[in-house]
Amino acid sequence: MASAENPTLGFPEEAPLLRLLGNGIGVPLREPVRPEGLNSDEVSERVKNGLGNAAAEAPSKSVAEIVRSNTLTRFNFILGVLFVAILTTGVFQDALFGIVAVINSSIGIVQELKTKRTLDRLAVLNAPRARALRDGVVQDIPVEGVVLDDLIVLHSGDQVSADGIVSQSEGLQIDESLLSGESQPMEKHSGEPVLSGSFVVAGTGRYQVTAVGHNSYARGLARQARQFAVTPSELMRGINQILRYVTWALPVVAVLLLVSQFRSGGLERASVAGVVAALVGMVPQGLVLLTSIAFGVAVLKLARKKVIVRELAAVEGLARVDVVCFDKTGTLTDGSINFEELLAEAPDLDIEAALRALCNQEAPNATLAALASRFTPSDAWQRVGSVAFSSATKWSAATFAGHGTWILGAPEVVLEDYLPVLARAQERAGRGLRVLALGYSSEVLPANRALPVGIRPAALLVFGEKLRPQAAQTLDYFVRQGVSIKVISGDSPSTVETLALKVGALAPGERALDAGTLPEELGALSEVLESYKVFGRVTPLQKQAMVKALQAKGHVVAMTGDGVNDTLALKVADIGVAMGSGSAATKAVAQLVLLDSDFAALPAVVAEGRRVVANIERVANLFVTKTVWAALLAILAGTLQIAYPLLPRHLTVIDALTIGIPSFFLALQPNSRRYRPGLVKRVLRFSAPVGSVVTVAASVTYLWARSNADSIVEQRTVVTLVILMVGLAVLVVAAAPLNWWKIALVALMAGGFLALFPSPSIRNFYGLSLPRTGLGVVLGVGVVAMVITAAISVLLKSSPGGLSQQSRG
């Protein structure tokens, strides 16, 4: 539909060859395409010549990226070097750790490929679409189907899929905040550029595509850096910190051991195996792998619940959230709007004819669509000017030849001087209904697109919204989990307050606050936000400011939304959650997309995040404890210039039975423990003393066996036995509270070690042989070390900020 200012779809003759934006990026003007758009032959020719919109970044990692991320790691490189070193000794049994590393990487690859297949299938349901005018017909096509010179039709909430020049505008307003950081929408007229990655906040329009694929501005920007921050992962940051400590320690210990071996007679085959064993023991090789698998399993489980996770860290991020902000529409309500009642205020005006004319739009919003179900759209009145609805102004208007100007919007904005009418609107809003005012003015819309003068009341329009059946249950979950909720809506405070009371977002006696009274200063705003839960008449910029104010107070904020007015707030929130039925703009900036648009899915996401974080802390205690005692034993051996008390094959047994196999089970179990910051501090607070206990127990056993004239095989066997005993005690602590399957798991691991002894061939393979005398002393040392480990655990659990209590699972 052509506007009055631009009756055709061509560009005005005075349009410049290049329009520059503030960032210096321009959009070149091409030859104007025909008003009916490209035909099918022209589209095919452009696709053949590579002038299509190249597919955007994949929704998940590529197969090559998955293989690379699971194999080309820092510790796989270290283990690879040690694997080659041990092969030079000719003892295959001591190279088993290399095979374990391959198996671990393979498990990670298989798990991520499985997750990728599921995510890619679901991403098809959420793939962005574009409306292209071809052969005179508007066609709904994938974004990658857009070609050069396509005429693209834009509606409010659409994201611009390729660069171009506007050919028609009816109040078209574009938000370029994702590209330039400028949050104020820009009104676009014919001949002006639009850039991919921006989105429509108001009005409608059409533009001709001038750059596609990797030649578009947004795609080029993405190659340099994303304008919005990637979700931070406290978990990965903590694990990387631990890995840095290990990386720094490895060369120091290696040099110490090598110097010790040279001084004691040179590097023989046995001493090389000891050095390799010491270094392998310090590497927590499965910790990163298990973290990736835990994240991958969480993403897979959420995908089955129709939740797309665009960033793995978003799963953890929502577990850290302590404030959830959400709009009323699409969360408390299901987003549908039903026209309920018309309250005429001016019998002399033809109100129904005006409503039919207002509904006659190419892309009506939800409110006009609800009106159109009652008042059939009509083109009997000629529209000569209009202003599209904007969440910032909260009104829309149209001027019709010979019929004046009609304004539709919030009563307190459109009819602020008519107190009796506002009182009637307030009474309906107090019932939880949505009320809009229809105003009339004999004046035309002013050039500055402000409200005309002389507005008088024409009617009040009453709409109803349906509450989501699980809204109250979902909000109750967040309250019980210690997460604050903030309802921030553009609707009347009375309407939002009534609905919030119905679902329990407000307690009896609590009130909603009109956002018009909110302070602009961030500090003052954050104080108000601490005192109120529900806010009405909130503008998009205020939503963004409210999120920033909460973050300034130290809160981790999640924002949910479905409309284009939520986009700015979603962008700055720690976790943005978009509804699948929402606008393309909201889904473009969100880390999570609820495909079923069901707010009730959020508790499952929170639960998954908490499970991942709590369980990774469990297994981190196992891995880091081993790293501590392996390093301390290596330092002790180097200082005393004695052989390292273990071979790599012994470490393989200890790793598998006390860490590797159990950690896979523990990392994937249910765990609802709330997130607590300080993972590294808690892990080291447990692992350092317990690792020291293991070191003392192993050293005492080793030195006693040497003094008892046991063979070197027997010495290493008793050290392996003591370390395994304490390792199982650490496993019990990490698995607490115990249930039948955890007890069975610990028993099975202990039985696995005992099963190595009956067969002589297996004993010889692993280099195991129990001493003929003194076994009771060895077991006594192990039991004492286990008791001390349990005591340390009890003390840490009872101390502030100590070892975290694990939830039942």
Side-chain angles (χ1 to χ4, degrees):
M1 182 171 65
S3 66
E5 297 86 355
N6 302 294
T8 69
L9 292 177
F11 298 106
E13 292 182 2
E14 68 274 18
L17 179 64
L18 196 66
R19 293 293 184 98
L20 295 178
L21 299 180
N23 51 25
I25 302 298
V27 179
L29 179 65
R30 295 174 58 82
E31 193 69 27
V33 73
R34 297 181 303 279
E36 66 271 16
L38 301 175
N39 58 43
S40 55
D41 291 337
E42 291 169 326
V43 171
S44 299
E45 180 183 0
R46 282 164 171 75
V47 171
K48 182 179 179 181
N49 293 331
L51 300 178
N53 209 25
E57 290 77 12
S60 60
K61 291 194 294 186
S62 67
V63 174
E65 288 172 331
I66 290 173
V67 173
R68 186 164 56 247
S69 65
N70 281 279
T71 55
L72 303 182
T73 65
R74 167 176 21 186
F75 288 116
N76 274 0
F77 172 76
I78 294 171
L79 292 174
V81 172
L82 297 176
F83 180 75
V84 172
I86 206 66
L87 287 181
T88 62
T89 67
V91 183
F92 172 74
Q93 297 97 310
D94 287 328
L96 292 176
F97 67 87
I99 299 174
V100 172
V102 172
I103 294 173
N104 284 347
S105 294
S106 300
I107 292 172
I109 291 170
V110 170
Q111 180 61 55
E112 286 205 49
L113 287 175
K114 184 178 179 181
T115 303
K116 171 184 168 59
R117 285 195 297 270
T118 301
L119 281 181
D120 289 350
R121 283 198 304 268
L122 280 179
V124 173
L125 303 175
N126 194 49
R129 311 284 292 180
R131 284 177 290 271
L133 186 64
R134 294 175 177 174
D135 294 315
V137 178
V138 177
Q139 301 178 19
D140 187 51
I141 62 172
V143 164
E144 57 267 25
V146 173
V147 299
L148 199 65
D149 292 323
D150 252 332
L151 276 179
I152 303 299
V153 180
L154 295 176
H155 297 163
S156 180
D158 287 350
Q159 187 170 39
V160 178
S161 54
D163 298 350
I165 296 291
V166 175
S167 59
Q168 175 185 313
S169 170
E170 291 190 6
L172 184 64
Q173 294 182 30
I174 302 290
D175 189 313
E176 296 175 341
S177 59
L178 297 185
L179 306 176
S180 65
E182 173 57 57
S183 59
Q184 291 290 348
M186 301 176 65
E187 191 160 339
K188 296 291 185 176
H189 304 283
S190 290
E192 294 188 332
V194 291
L195 298 178
S196 56
S198 58
F199 54 90
V200 183
V201 296
T204 60
R206 295 174 184 174
Y207 75 96
Q208 180 176 336
V209 174
T210 58
V212 292
H214 293 292
N215 293 322
S216 65
Y217 175 66
R219 207 68 63 80
L221 185 67
R223 286 196 296 270
Q224 300 174 40
R226 292 175 67 186
Q227 285 281 339
F228 50 98
V230 174
T231 308
S233 171
E234 296 291 337
L235 183 60
M236 290 307 302
R237 186 181 299 133
I239 289 175
N240 286 333
Q241 185 178 347
I242 293 172
L243 297 184
R244 281 196 298 272
Y245 294 158
V246 174
T247 305
W248 296 336
L250 278 171
V252 176
V253 173
V255 170
L256 177 62
L257 285 172
L258 289 172
V259 170
S260 170
Q261 296 302 320
F262 272 118
R263 286 182 175 178
S264 60
L267 278 178
E268 299 177 354
R269 189 161 58 181
S271 59
V272 169
V275 173
V276 171
L279 299 181
V280 168
M282 293 174 59
V283 179
Q285 52 186 301
L287 184 55
V288 175
L289 170 71
L290 271 178
T291 304
S292 298
I293 290 177
F295 272 136
V297 170
V299 169
L300 193 61
K301 291 172 70 174
L302 291 174
R304 290 169 180 160
K305 297 179 183 292
K306 298 297 181 68
V307 177
I308 286 186
V309 180
R310 299 166 68 93
E311 298 176 19
L312 284 181
V315 176
E316 174 209 338
L318 202 49
R320 295 189 286 112
V321 162
D322 60 357
V323 178
V324 176
C325 300
F326 51 88
D327 195 358
K328 168 183 65 66
T329 306
T331 51
L332 295 185
T333 64
D334 62 7
S336 62
I337 301 175
N338 302 313
F339 178 72
E340 299 281 348
E341 186 180 12
L342 186 151
L343 303 175
E345 299 289 342
D348 59 309
L349 297 175
D350 194 347
I351 295 171
E352 292 198 8
L355 290 174
R356 286 194 292 270
L358 287 171
C359 291
N360 184 38
Q361 289 194 16
E362 180 181 351
N365 57 29
T367 301
L368 289 179
L371 280 173
S373 66
R374 173 74 174 273
F375 305 98
T376 305
S378 170
D379 59 0
W381 289 8
Q382 181 185 1
R383 187 181 299 229
V384 295
S386 64
V387 172
F389 177 81
S390 166
S391 297
T393 61
K394 302 198 179 300
W395 60 271
S396 62
T399 300
F400 300 97
H403 297 284
T405 299
W406 296 80
I407 307 96
L408 188 63
E412 59 268 33
V413 175
V414 177
L415 304 174
E416 60 178 347
D417 297 327
Y418 293 88
L419 298 183
V421 179
L422 292 179
R424 284 189 284 278
Q426 183 75 8
E427 187 275 330
R428 291 299 195 281
R431 303 181 196 172
L433 298 169
R434 184 180 178 192
V435 184
L436 293 180
L438 179 66
Y440 169 78
S441 173
S442 59
E443 303 294 327
V444 298
L445 284 165
N448 63 358
R449 309 182 77 80
L451 283 169
V453 298
I455 299 177
R456 66 188 181 99
L460 291 176
L461 306 173
V462 183
F463 301 83
E465 297 181 81
K466 184 180 179 183
L467 283 173
R468 288 189 179 274
Q470 293 181 298
Q473 180 181 346
T474 304
L475 296 182
D476 180 64
Y477 169 84
F478 284 117
V479 172
R480 286 187 287 105
Q481 295 298 317
V483 179
S484 299
I485 54 176
K486 305 290 179 184
V487 183
I488 48 181
S489 173
D491 284 345
S492 161
S494 297
T495 301
V496 186
E497 180 181 303
T498 302
L499 293 175
L501 283 167
K502 288 182 179 179
V503 297
L506 281 180
E510 291 183 320
R511 303 299 302 272
L513 185 68
D514 190 327
T517 65
L518 289 175
E520 294 185 4
E521 195 273 322
L522 206 61
L525 178 58
S526 63
E527 294 300 326
V528 175
L529 290 172
E530 295 290 338
S531 304
Y532 286 86
K533 300 177 183 175
V534 179
F535 303 85
R537 295 297 180 217
V538 187
T539 67
L541 286 177
Q542 282 181 314
K543 289 185 178 183
Q544 184 185 48
M546 292 166 82
V547 171
K548 290 181 177 179
L550 288 167
Q551 291 170 327
K553 271 287 198 178
H555 293 294
V556 180
V557 183
M559 174 72 196
T560 73
D562 62 348
V564 67
N565 59 317
D566 300 318
T567 306
L568 295 177
L570 285 172
K571 176 190 168 188
V572 300
D574 296 284
I575 299 294
V577 183
M579 301 296 171
S581 60
S583 68
T586 57
K587 289 183 281 189
V589 300
Q591 288 93 352
L592 299 172
V593 179
L594 309 181
L595 289 182
D596 286 344
S597 301
D598 190 356
F599 180 58
L602 277 185
V605 183
V606 173
E608 276 303 303
R610 290 182 172 180
R611 183 190 64 77
V612 169
V613 174
N615 285 341
I616 291 303
E617 182 170 334
R618 274 180 167 175
V619 300
N621 284 322
L622 300 177
F623 282 101
V624 179
T625 297
K626 189 205 78 168
T627 296
V628 170
W629 63 251
L632 291 177
L633 275 179
I635 293 171
L636 185 65
T639 303
L640 299 179
Q641 297 188 12
I642 58 178
Y644 191 73
L646 298 169
L647 291 175
R649 70 192 81 167
H650 302 134
L651 283 170
T652 300
V653 172
I654 294 169
D655 258 346
L657 297 178
T658 66
I659 301 173
I661 296 173
S663 64
F664 273 99
F665 288 95
L666 294 179
L668 303 179
Q669 289 306 304
N671 195 325
S672 59
R673 195 200 78 201
R674 296 183 185 180
Y675 171 81
R676 293 174 57 199
L679 177 142
V680 174
K681 181 179 179 181
R682 285 195 303 277
V683 168
L684 292 179
R685 194 175 180 187
F686 174 81
S687 300
V690 173
S692 300
V693 170
V694 176
T695 304
V696 172
S699 302
V700 168
T701 304
Y702 185 40
L703 295 175
W704 178 86
R706 286 169 62 92
S707 66
N708 201 40
D710 291 339
S711 68
I712 187 64
V713 175
E714 291 171 339
Q715 294 171 27
R716 287 169 172 161
T717 300
V718 294
V719 171
T720 302
L721 174 59
V722 167
I723 292 177
L724 190 132
M725 289 174 67
V726 188
L728 290 177
V730 175
L731 175 59
V732 170
V733 170
L738 297 177
N739 54 25
W740 70 266
W741 74 261
K742 290 177 183 176
I743 295 173
L745 177 65
V746 175
L748 189 63
M749 296 302 100
F753 180 69
L754 296 177
L756 300 176
F757 289 91
S759 170
S761 59
I762 295 178
R763 281 202 315 271
N764 293 335
F765 181 84
Y766 283 105
L768 298 172
S769 178
L770 291 172
R772 297 177 183 177
T773 61
L775 186 58
V777 175
V778 174
L779 294 176
V781 172
V783 170
V784 170
M786 293 172 73
V787 171
I788 295 175
T789 298
I792 292 173
S793 169
V794 171
L795 289 174
L796 288 177
K797 285 181 179 179
S798 61
S799 64
L803 187 66
S804 294
Q805 292 283 356
Q806 305 295 340
S807 294
R808 190 172 302 279

